[in-house]
Coordinates of all heavy atoms in Angstrom, one line a residue:
I455 N 43.6 6.5 -3.5 CA 43.4 7.7 -2.7 C 43.9 7.6 -1.3 O 44.5 8.5 -0.7 CB 41.8 8.0 -2.7 CG1 41.4 8.4 -4.2 CG2 41.6 9.2 -1.7 CD1 39.9 8.5 -4.3
R456 N 43.5 6.5 -0.7 CA 44.1 6.3 0.7 C 45.6 6.3 0.9 O 46.2 6.5 1.9 CB 43.5 5.0 1.3 CG 42.1 5.0 1.7 CD 41.5 3.9 2.5 NE 40.3 4.1 3.1 CZ 39.1 3.6 2.6 NH1 39.2 2.8 1.6 NH2 38.0 3.8 3.2
A457 N 46.3 6.0 -0.3 CA 47.7 5.9 -0.2 C 48.4 7.3 -0.6 O 49.5 7.4 -0.5 CB 48.2 4.8 -1.1
D458 N 47.5 8.3 -1.0 CA 48.0 9.5 -1.5 C 48.4 10.4 -0.2 O 47.5 10.6 0.6 CB 46.9 10.1 -2.3 CG 47.5 11.4 -3.1 OD1 47.4 12.5 -2.4 OD2 47.9 11.4 -4.2
E459 N 49.6 11.0 -0.4 CA 50.0 11.9 0.8 C 49.1 13.2 1.0 O 48.9 13.5 2.1 CB 51.3 12.4 0.4 CG 52.4 11.3 0.6 CD 52.8 10.9 1.9 OE1 52.7 11.6 2.9 OE2 53.2 9.7 2.1
R460 N 48.7 13.7 -0.1 CA 47.8 14.9 0.0 C 46.5 14.5 0.8 O 46.0 15.3 1.6 CB 47.5 15.4 -1.4 CG 46.6 16.6 -1.5 CD 46.4 17.1 -2.8 NE 45.4 18.1 -3.0 CZ 45.2 18.8 -4.1 NH1 45.8 18.5 -5.2 NH2 44.2 19.6 -4.1
W461 N 46.0 13.4 0.4 CA 44.6 12.9 1.0 C 44.8 12.7 2.6 O 44.1 13.0 3.4 CB 44.1 11.8 0.4 CG 42.8 11.4 0.9 CD1 41.6 11.8 0.7 CD2 42.5 10.3 1.9 NE1 40.5 11.2 1.4 CE2 41.1 10.2 2.2 CE3 43.3 9.3 2.5 CZ2 40.5 9.4 3.1 CZ3 42.7 8.5 3.5 CH2 41.3 8.5 3.6
L462 N 46.1 12.0 2.9 CA 46.4 11.7 4.3 C 46.5 12.9 5.1 O 45.9 13.1 6.3 CB 47.6 10.8 4.4 CG 47.4 9.6 3.9 CD1 48.8 8.8 3.7 CD2 46.6 8.7 4.6
K463 N 47.1 14.1 4.5 CA 47.2 15.3 5.2 C 45.8 15.9 5.5 O 45.4 16.5 6.6 CB 48.1 16.4 4.5 CG 49.5 16.0 4.6 CD 50.3 17.0 3.8 CE 51.7 16.6 3.8 NZ 52.6 17.6 3.1
K464 N 44.9 15.8 4.5 CA 43.6 16.4 4.6 C 42.8 15.7 5.7 O 42.1 16.2 6.4 CB 42.8 16.3 3.3 CG 43.1 17.3 2.2 CD 42.3 17.0 0.9 CE 42.3 18.2 0.1 NZ 41.7 19.3 0.6
V465 N 43.0 14.4 5.8 CA 42.3 13.6 6.8 C 42.8 14.0 8.2 O 41.9 14.1 9.0 CB 42.5 12.0 6.5 CG1 42.1 11.2 7.8 CG2 41.7 11.6 5.3
Q466 N 44.0 14.2 8.4 CA 44.5 14.6 9.6 C 43.9 16.0 10.1 O 43.8 16.2 11.3 CB 46.0 14.6 9.6 CG 46.6 13.2 9.7 CD 48.1 13.3 9.4 OE1 48.8 14.3 9.3 NE2 48.8 12.1 9.6

Side-chain angles (χ1 to χ4, degrees):
I455 292 170
R456 284 191 169 105
D458 189 275
E459 292 288 328
R460 180 175 169 179
W461 184 79
L462 291 170
K463 286 180 183 177
K464 283 181 164 289
V465 168
Q466 288 176 351

